[in-house]
Amino acid sequence: QVQLVESGGGLVQPGGSLTLFCAASGSILSVYTMGWFRQAPGKERELVATITSGRSTNYADSVKGRFTVSRDNTKNTVYLQMNSLKPEDTGVYYCNAKTALRPYWGQGTQVTVSS
């Protein structure tokens, strides 16, 4: 079992920045890729960014150049630095951890970009 707890969401103006945090606990050694997904109202959940245990990263085209995903294995934490935020970045952001058996999800944190 892997438990994920997100934090760091909130309300920010367009052009602003936020950093999301995802603290993992439990069977951490079984996790090989972690990532962030988001879901806007009325839309499907979509991939934002992923990072492997070897720190290879992958980003959605819509966030490339603005978002940065990183991880600190000593703290079992994954970060998502979000810059130049746009209203279309609004949504619930979910942390995801992949293991050989199944994926795990956090409870989500709300990000609202609005003036």
Side-chain angles (χ1 to χ4, degrees):
Q1 293 285 335
V2 176
Q3 294 79 42
L4 304 172
V5 178
E6 303 100 331
S7 60
L11 173 64
V12 64
Q13 292 186 342
S17 298
L18 275 178
T19 301
L20 303 184
F21 305 82
C22 174
S25 60
S27 302
I28 303 301
L29 293 180
S30 66
V31 176
Y32 55 88
T33 296
M34 296 192 71
W36 292 93
F37 289 69
R38 68 186 179 190
Q39 188 166 18
K43 295 188 176 181
E44 294 186 354
R45 192 173 298 187
E46 63 176 3
L47 179 144
V48 175
T50 61
I51 183 166
T52 68
S53 56
R55 291 185 169 79
S56 293
T57 58
N58 180 52
Y59 296 93
D61 288 343
S62 59
V63 307
K64 283 181 181 177
R66 300 189 298 122
F67 291 11
T68 301
V69 61
S70 59
R71 63 193 290 173
D72 184 339
N73 291 333
T74 64
K75 297 181 179 179
N76 296 327
T77 300
V78 176
Y79 309 91
L80 185 68
Q81 175 66 44
M82 305 184 293
N83 298 324
S84 302
L85 283 160
K86 304 175 181 181
E88 51 263 43
D89 294 317
T90 295
V92 179
Y93 283 68
Y94 296 92
C95 182
N96 169 270
K98 289 185 179 179
T99 71
L101 294 179
R102 53 160 288 188
Y104 291 87
W105 296 92
Q107 82 287 351
T109 185
Q110 177 70 43
V111 172
T112 302
V113 184
S114 176
S115 56

